[in-house]
Amino acid sequence: MAKSSNYISAKESRRISRENRRITGEIEKKRKRKHIPESEYVTQMKDPENCVEFDDVKTYFFTDIGTVKSVDGVSFSVPKGKTVGIVGESGCGKSVTSLSLMQLVQRPQGQTVGGEIRFNTGEKVINVVNAPESVMRELRGNNMAMIFQEPMTSLNPVFRIGAQLDEEIALHFPKLSKEEVKQRSIEMLGMVGIANKEGVYRMFPHELSGGMRQRVMIAMALSCDPKLIIADEPTTALDVTIQAQILDLLRELKGRIGSSIMLITHDLGVVAEMADFVVVMYAGRVVERGTARDIFKDPRHPYTVGLMKSKPVVGKHVKHLYSIPGSVPNPVDMPDYCYFRDRCERCGEKCRGAYPEMVKLSDTHYVSCYLPDEKTE
Amino acid sequence: MKKFILKRILISVVLLFFVSLIIYTIMRCLPTSYVENQARALATRPGAKSYQEWVAQLNAAYGLDVGVLRGYFRWLAGAVRLDFGDSWYWNQPILDKFKSVIWYSFFLGLVSFTLEMLIAIPLGIAAAKKQYSMTDYTVTVVALIGISLPSFFFATILKYIFSIKLGWFDLSGTVSRMHQTMTDAQKFLDIAKHMILPVITITVVSIGGMMRYVRANMLEVLNSDYIRTARAKGLSEKRVINHHAFRNTLIPIVTLLGGSLPGLFSGAMITEQLFQIPGIGYTSYVSVMQGDIPFVMFYMVFLAVLTLLGNLIADILYAAVDPRVRVG
């Protein structure tokens, strides 16, 4: 009987949730062991010049209507000191990819079930997928910091800005005295361009505007000189003038402390301006990756092409803005063929088969498509 | 802050005026009339005056021969001087009667409320921390049992098990038979022992709602962005929960605290009745049934004052825990 995939019986739902509990319980148990030997999570980088390497990462959500493969075999790397932009539409797994790196996916439903995320701290290389909580806590804030999408709600409303900054600095630099911690907090606030830094230090989040709060978030992220900054749509909630300021700030600070940036956004303009490398994601997979030049000058995947076309261009008159036809397939039980097939304009005989492998076009440019050389107009 | 409090107190006075006026009007309109009952009883005596005459005489004696408004202002004139008069039914000054019964109810309320908080808040947080886990389901089931158990049924079961079967406690009352011969310390322990079952009854019955409330709030807080930020900073889970999340969960709980102030004095009618505790719940019930206007007026206005005061305290506490509502 052909049932709608949105409908499942109560019996089926119970079976799924029981199964889910079994799977997640096993993973949680493995993670909660008292002593996890270092050999399980200390590895080697493929290329020591990289800051992070994602290798076939799979992060699934075990929901009551089935397993959602939010991130399904994502591989790319972030070189030291470079900016990598990750683009894709809402729900394509950009944020989950970054949360997997921080190991902040909502547990126990969300689990990274496969692959490796190798993080280079300088001394050691840690596979965060298998790393225990204590090791992750050392990394978070200290080696990798995150700037969130929503500055309005990302700061704790009941604590002063200063307290929230101090807390992190004191945690990762236990040697500093209270006074030194405060000095550093104020210094960080100054660094992100807050003029009234001592005043802001004593303020509560609700006394600041969105742009100011995002600056505070950036100050917080940079306060421990992280190796990697994950900026999860840092400018989405801000208006355009503030956007430009925040992006300038990020770029300037990146140069100053020499860290890598993982920039997650759906704004191609931001990517073009900031990124050295671009990763295009669709439905939990990487469909195309390459240098910014590769992607913008010579997009090969039909989805990338569609994304470029759906961006408004100044000076070009169009009646309707282009939109990619169709919609993303149901995330529960994805089919085993190219996920973009049903929306693709160049789909042909060749596309009938299984999900296409990554095709190497040049040393930097990879695409996952059967017909990468065909042009769509 | 001073200005805010002063303004609130002035508003409260106006509110109190209307609240007491409404209560007085309702009391006067009640079908039970103390005077009529008395007159009927007196008229049946051999050689007594007629019922009509008794009613007229008693009405004049109790000050019910005037209209509602005049009667109200007469009451008010006494009340503002804190002179609430004598209770009709209890036959003694109202404040004396009140003092003799309130402490039972107050301590009963205070102890069970404290216990409720001490149990419900940690359990609610534990349940929220591990949503859909065994802990969560256990807490939820216990909470639902508590919400759905009627107090008379639960109290009866407790009495059956602990008083009749095990013989640990007396069935009812506040003192045991040998109370008069005890030393002060023993007397205190004796009363405390008699309060154990009532306290358990009240706590179990009211704990469920609180637990669900804390759990729901904690869940909301735990799913918020700033908790993710706190985790992303590298803080330990303990600090995230006990510092960042707890301060935010506290905000709605504090409002509840202020609101529960009148609850401490209002007594638990059914539980007091079941355990034969001469508390305010029982006393006020009898007073209303007997149409004892002065006592009911005093008690209702007292609760109204506490409610308004509780709201004011809640607002002040709110400002203390939530910087966003600090008033200038």
Side-chain angles (χ1 to χ4, degrees):
Chain A
M1 193 168 70
K3 254 190 252 171
S4 153
S5 57
N6 290 320
Y7 172 82
I8 56 168
S9 65
K11 204 171 148 196
E12 181 77 350
S13 174
R14 269 201 299 281
R15 192 190 61 73
I16 292 173
S17 49
R18 204 173 314 126
E19 183 75 356
N20 286 347
R21 264 206 299 281
R22 195 182 58 75
I23 299 171
T24 54
E26 248 168 50
I27 300 173
E28 289 290 300
K29 214 163 143 193
K30 202 174 155 204
R31 186 177 289 118
K32 290 232 174 78
R33 283 171 300 164
K34 276 262 159 57
H35 298 287
I36 299 178
E38 260 199 9
S39 57
E40 276 188 34
Y41 59 87
V42 175
T43 58
Q44 288 301 317
M45 296 302 266
K46 275 203 181 129
D47 178 357
E49 280 311 299
N50 282 340
C51 181
V52 189
E53 288 171 354
F54 286 82
D55 195 349
D56 198 26
V57 176
K58 293 185 163 100
T59 299
Y60 296 172
F61 286 88
F62 296 93
T63 70
D64 283 357
I65 53 162
T67 306
V68 177
K69 298 179 176 174
S70 282
V71 173
D72 195 11
V74 163
S75 306
F76 66 94
S77 51
V78 181
K80 277 182 187 163
K82 299 285 185 198
T83 301
V84 174
I86 301 178
V87 284
E89 61 201 29
S90 306
C92 71
K94 314 183 291 278
S95 291
V96 176
T97 306
S98 65
L99 289 174
S100 304
L101 171 59
M102 299 281 276
Q103 288 290 293
L104 284 177
V105 181
Q106 186 79 40
R107 285 203 191 113
Q109 300 92 320
Q111 299 283 358
T112 305
V113 293
E116 280 194 346
I117 305 175
R118 294 182 288 270
F119 185 85
N120 192 347
T121 64
E123 299 129 39
K124 268 194 268 187
V125 177
I126 289 176
N127 174 14
V128 300
V129 175
N130 294 335
E133 260 305 294
S134 56
V135 175
M136 277 320 292
R137 278 208 294 275
E138 289 285 305
L139 292 180
R140 284 182 206 139
N142 203 1
N143 286 299
M144 43 170 132
M146 196 153 178
I147 301 163
F148 292 101
Q149 182 174 1
E150 271 294 337
M152 302 309 270
T153 54
S154 292
L155 289 165
N156 197 326
V158 302
F159 297 118
R160 290 177 200 277
I161 301 292
Q164 301 193 40
L165 271 166
D166 287 354
E167 187 182 32
E168 181 172 16
I169 295 171
L171 181 76
H172 296 296
F173 298 105
K175 278 183 198 141
L176 293 186
S177 73
K178 250 190 169 160
E179 213 31 56
E180 285 167 324
V181 168
K182 186 181 170 184
Q183 276 312 312
R184 191 177 165 88
S185 298
I186 292 177
E187 197 184 298
M188 291 314 297
L189 288 175
M191 197 167 116
V192 294
I194 294 174
N196 174 22
K197 48 191 175 184
E198 256 137 73
V200 169
Y201 181 86
R202 276 190 301 276
M203 280 185 192
F204 283 104
H206 70 274
E207 294 170 292
L208 299 174
S209 66
M212 287 292 261
R213 285 189 218 184
Q214 195 61 299
R215 282 169 198 270
V216 171
M217 284 302 293
I218 294 174
M220 206 182 269
L222 299 180
S223 62
C224 298
D225 297 335
K227 305 262 179 325
L228 173 74
I229 301 164
I230 304 165
D232 188 355
E233 310 206 15
T235 56
T236 307
L238 305 173
D239 66 69
V240 194
T241 45
I242 308 295
Q243 265 186 30
Q245 288 177 17
I246 294 285
L247 290 177
D248 279 344
L249 179 69
L250 267 178
R251 203 165 24 205
E252 185 201 324
L253 293 174
K254 181 191 128 195
R256 206 185 300 179
I257 63 174
S259 49
S260 317
I261 296 184
M262 215 170 115
L263 181 71
I264 297 162
T265 180
H266 51 240
D267 188 336
L268 286 170
V270 171
V271 172
E273 198 178 331
M274 299 277 296
D276 303 307
F277 298 94
V278 179
V279 175
V280 183
M281 283 185 71
Y282 179 74
R285 290 193 181 222
V286 174
V287 291
E288 185 167 8
R289 66 188 151 94
T291 61
R293 207 185 162 73
D294 292 336
I295 301 291
F296 283 93
K297 288 275 178 233
D298 183 24
R300 292 300 185 89
H301 196 280
Y303 179 65
T304 319
V305 176
L307 273 185
M308 302 285 177
K309 274 209 280 184
S310 47
K311 195 177 71 147
V313 179
V314 177
K316 192 173 149 193
H317 284 280
V318 281
K319 211 165 190 182
H320 293 288
L321 199 55
Y322 177 80
S323 74
I324 304 172
S327 56
V328 191
N330 188 333
V332 179
D333 303 322
M334 281 286 203
D336 184 34
Y337 53 78
C338 175
Y339 299 160
F340 198 63
R341 195 178 76 181
D342 299 335
R343 301 174 75 183
C344 189
E345 287 171 1
R346 62 167 96 139
C347 173
E349 255 334 288
K350 253 181 135 181
C351 300
R352 294 259 172 258
Y355 194 89
E357 296 288 321
M358 271 287 180
V359 183
K360 185 174 176 179
L361 300 171
S362 74
D363 277 349
T364 51
H365 198 174
Y366 293 81
V367 67
S368 154
C369 183
Y370 283 115
L371 304 161
D373 297 323
E374 257 176 57
K375 289 270 177 247
T376 25
E377 277 316 315
Chain B
M1 196 67 181
K2 252 185 204 154
K3 210 174 142 196
F4 168 76
I5 294 174
L6 199 72
K7 201 173 119 195
R8 284 291 300 269
I9 289 176
L10 286 178
I11 294 175
S12 301
V13 169
V14 177
L15 272 173
L16 268 182
F17 174 80
F18 286 106
V19 167
S20 52
L21 177 60
I22 291 170
I23 298 171
Y24 187 81
T25 313
I26 291 174
M27 281 311 290
R28 283 292 292 268
C29 299
L30 276 190
T32 1
S33 162
Y34 180 74
V35 163
E36 281 168 21
N37 285 342
Q38 281 300 92
R40 203 168 296 126
L42 289 169
T44 54
R45 284 189 187 168
K49 284 181 275 190
S50 76
Y51 172 73
Q52 294 303 335
E53 277 172 284
W54 270 118
V55 167
Q57 189 186 335
L58 287 173
N59 267 341
Y62 286 123
L64 292 180
D65 51 347
V66 292
V68 170
L69 265 186
R70 271 187 68 191
Y72 172 72
F73 281 109
R74 200 183 280 173
W75 173 85
L76 192 64
V80 291
R81 280 179 277 125
L82 296 182
D83 170 19
F84 294 97
D86 294 343
S87 161
W88 297 346
Y89 180 75
W90 305 102
N91 244 330
Q92 55 176 312
I94 285 170
L95 290 178
D96 289 356
K97 177 67 193 170
F98 181 68
K99 270 182 211 151
S100 73
V101 296
I102 187 65
W103 296 114
Y104 286 117
S105 298
F106 177 71
F107 284 115
L108 202 61
L110 187 68
V111 172
S112 34
F113 184 70
T114 317
L115 274 180
E116 191 189 321
M117 285 291 171
L118 287 180
I119 298 171
I121 293 178
L123 279 185
I125 291 176
K129 241 162 71 180
K130 297 186 183 151
Q131 198 187 5
Y132 305 132
S133 69
M134 210 53 214
T135 326
D136 185 24
Y137 286 129
T138 316
V139 167
T140 307
V141 168
V142 169
L144 281 178
I145 290 176
I147 293 173
S148 356
L149 261 186
S151 57
F152 63 86
F153 177 71
F154 185 59
T156 314
I157 288 181
L158 282 182
K159 278 176 162 188
Y160 181 71
I161 296 173
F162 292 102
S163 303
I164 296 174
K165 287 285 163 189
L166 296 170
W168 292 355
F169 305 104
D170 284 355
L171 256 184
S172 58
T174 54
V175 293
S176 52
R177 199 176 301 165
M178 308 304 286
H179 190 72
Q180 290 309 321
T181 62
M182 290 174 179
T183 61
D184 280 352
Q186 278 173 322
K187 275 184 183 170
F188 175 77
L189 286 178
D190 186 41
I191 295 180
K193 194 180 162 194
H194 281 82
M195 290 294 170
I196 292 177
L197 288 187
V199 163
I200 292 177
T201 310
I202 298 177
T203 311
V204 168
V205 168
S206 52
I207 207 167
M210 189 72 196
M211 226 138 65
R212 299 287 297 167
Y213 191 70
V214 173
R215 176 181 175 272
N217 271 311
M218 194 70 186
L219 274 181
E220 199 183 310
V221 169
L222 282 180
N223 283 327
S224 55
D225 290 348
Y226 51 81
I227 293 298
R228 195 178 52 183
T229 311
R231 290 207 177 106
K233 280 197 223 171
L235 298 175
S236 67
E237 193 61 20
K238 216 165 130 193
R239 185 157 169 90
V240 170
I241 303 268
N242 294 346
H243 189 67
H244 284 262
F246 186 65
R247 261 302 294 275
N248 283 284
T249 324
L250 216 57
I251 297 171
I253 293 177
V254 152
T255 19
L256 221 67
L257 276 179
S260 59
L261 182 68
L264 291 181
F265 288 91
S266 63
M269 209 174 69
I270 295 171
T271 313
E272 283 177 12
Q273 192 102 338
L274 283 165
F275 289 96
Q276 297 283 305
I277 297 167
I280 190 72
Y282 171 72
T283 312
S284 57
Y285 166 72
V286 173
S287 305
V288 173
M289 291 312 286
Q290 293 294 332
D292 185 347
I293 296 180
F295 191 88
V296 174
M297 279 307 289
F298 164 75
Y299 181 60
M300 290 292 191
V301 171
F302 178 68
L303 283 190
V305 170
L306 285 182
T307 308
L308 291 170
L309 199 66
N311 285 344
L312 181 61
I313 291 175
D315 282 352
I316 294 170
L317 282 178
Y318 211 108
V321 290
D322 190 348
R324 282 165 294 186
V325 293
R326 254 159 225 185
V327 276

